[in-house]
Amino acid sequence: MADSPAKKGRWQAVRHGARRVDEATPDSRDRAVDALRACAILGVVLGHWLVTALVAHDGGLYTASPLGRMPWLAPISWIFQTLAVFFLVGGHVATRSLASARARSLTYGQWLRARLGRLARPVLALLCLWAVVTAGLLLTGAPADTVHTLVKLALSPLWFLLVLAALTAATPLVARLHPLWPLAVVLHVDVLRFGLHLGPSWLGWANLPAGWLVPYTLGAAWTRGELDTRRTGRVLLVSGTTATVGLVHCAGYPAAMVGVPGAAISNLDPPTLAAVTFGLAQCGLALLLRDRLRRAMRRPLPWAAVATVNLSAMTIFLWHQTALMATTAATLPAGRLPGLHTAPDGPAWIAARLGWLPVFALVLTVCWGAFRSYEQGGGGRRRVRGWRVRERCVRKRRVRGRRVRERRSRVVRVHRGVGRIAQAGRPGRRGRVVRVGHANGAAGGEDTGAVPRVPRGHRV
């Protein structure tokens, strides 16, 4: 009972912080976009944690998947393989951002540097750390196969970012491309590969850009207002589902929408026609859920949680595999722990793996705290009660012979710690970013892709 007032105070602080984030978000912002991005990122993270096993054997580690021995788990991949939704949102956000940049008379190069800069910084941190880890493992005599397994798993998220960066750079060229064109490329490539058994071995990799260009161009069509009706979402959902079921049952495509070690065909490595049609169904469902998500995101607490995930989306995505491997390696001295070091060979392994998910999340939180600054950038700071304000884009000009500093925008950081709101003039903890600048409506509401914006002069 003694802890009850303290818990109540912490809960009130959480609700108060959530309201502040909610009030700092303009009404023109489409919160469903942020909700879809957060769901896509968390779906990929949970999916990898559930279907990736590092098995300890003969002093080394190798990867295995429960989908290999338990194919009836394939529906798990239907829920957690959400990459198509991320590319849908990516295409929508990138085309809106490009339109906003053109309205502000920014060049394509300036726009692209700003878009890719946020991707490059956290990637550099990941590469540096794993270069050190790899050198340490080799110097201490770790088996080469184990080192290869760990490095491959840690860097596996980079293929996604490379494709996203390429599509972002090509946004001016594909902004008005109809999704049927890249879909036709995937169809013809698969006919050559699996139907006629013709073409070179690398032909399938043409599907890597073409396959993910389908949802990306759907996002561009969303920006143009061509996907606003619910009928469009229903057509995508029904046609995509029907095509996927037909391809799996009649054309021999795998039921799992993720790669399975040892399988003859992978739906993701490179993407197949089944993976693309499955993505169309996912995009249709996402479009149908927009109105419900908008209503749900009007509540401060869910919106604050979604904004938090979006602010560190790339950090979470890049480091979730490292969190899994760190947990596995750190517990090796304790022996072969079920669900962590053992082979995924039955329902008991699944039950044990579910128990390890909170541990993975805790380790990922540590990685997030250590490396999120690489995604959010730097700058000078000043503190306000409950908030930490970062000054940026300070321009100097002369007025009557004197140099005057003119502030163009602000970044407001909401503190992470519950009940640890920094007082004025007192040191506080680094927190989350809420940009306060010139954005309004479609011109700038989504241009950063992750950070709520409010008009300049809005009091927070």
Side-chain angles (χ1 to χ4, degrees), residues 101-263:
R102 288 171 173 171
R104 300 195 306 269
S105 300
L106 295 179
T107 66
Y108 167 75
Q110 292 172 321
W111 170 81
L112 186 61
R113 283 193 296 271
R115 297 296 300 177
L116 299 185
R118 195 176 179 208
L119 298 179
R121 288 191 297 269
V123 168
L124 182 61
L126 180 75
L127 292 176
C128 289
L129 182 135
W130 271 98
V132 174
V133 170
T134 302
L137 290 173
L138 293 175
L139 290 175
T140 54
D145 290 342
T146 298
V147 175
H148 177 266
T149 297
L150 296 178
V151 172
K152 182 179 179 181
L153 196 60
L155 303 185
S156 60
L158 295 185
W159 75 261
F160 162 79
L161 294 185
L162 290 174
V163 175
L164 180 62
L167 295 182
T168 300
T171 298
L173 300 177
V174 303
R176 293 197 169 274
L177 182 68
H178 198 283
L180 286 178
W181 289 108
L183 180 61
V185 172
V186 176
L187 172 62
H188 284 81
V189 168
D190 273 21
V191 168
L192 291 173
R193 293 172 63 201
F194 305 127
L196 303 177
H197 302 285
L198 298 176
S201 59
W202 51 263
L203 180 63
W205 291 104
N207 283 352
L208 186 59
W212 299 120
L213 190 56
V214 174
Y216 195 85
T217 51
L218 278 174
W222 180 0
T223 302
R224 298 194 300 269
E226 299 175 6
L227 306 181
D228 290 342
T229 64
R230 293 185 62 83
R231 179 178 177 274
T232 305
R234 286 193 290 267
V235 169
L236 286 172
L237 176 59
V238 173
S239 60
T241 302
T242 303
T244 304
V245 171
L247 290 170
V248 171
H249 282 278
C250 302
Y253 284 87
M257 291 300 148
V258 296
V260 179

Side-chain angles (χ1 to χ4, degrees), residues 201-331:
S201 59
W202 51 263
L203 180 63
W205 291 104
N207 283 352
L208 186 59
W212 299 120
L213 190 56
V214 174
Y216 195 85
T217 51
L218 278 174
W222 180 0
T223 302
R224 298 194 300 269
E226 299 175 6
L227 306 181
D228 290 342
T229 64
R230 293 185 62 83
R231 179 178 177 274
T232 305
R234 286 193 290 267
V235 169
L236 286 172
L237 176 59
V238 173
S239 60
T241 302
T242 303
T244 304
V245 171
L247 290 170
V248 171
H249 282 278
C250 302
Y253 284 87
M257 291 300 148
V258 296
V260 179
I265 300 175
S266 169
N267 275 323
L268 278 187
D269 192 21
T272 63
L273 182 61
V276 174
T277 57
F278 176 75
L280 289 176
Q282 284 186 316
C283 291
L285 181 60
L287 294 173
L288 290 174
L289 291 176
R290 285 178 298 182
D291 291 338
R292 293 188 179 183
L293 289 173
R294 289 177 185 128
R295 290 193 295 269
M297 292 300 106
R298 291 173 187 166
R299 298 160 60 187
L301 282 175
W303 169 240
V306 165
T308 300
V309 172
N310 276 269
L311 289 171
S312 302
M314 287 300 98
T315 302
I316 293 171
F317 179 75
L318 286 173
W319 291 95
H320 74 278
Q321 295 284 49
T322 300
L324 183 151
M325 289 183 287
T327 305
T328 304
T331 52

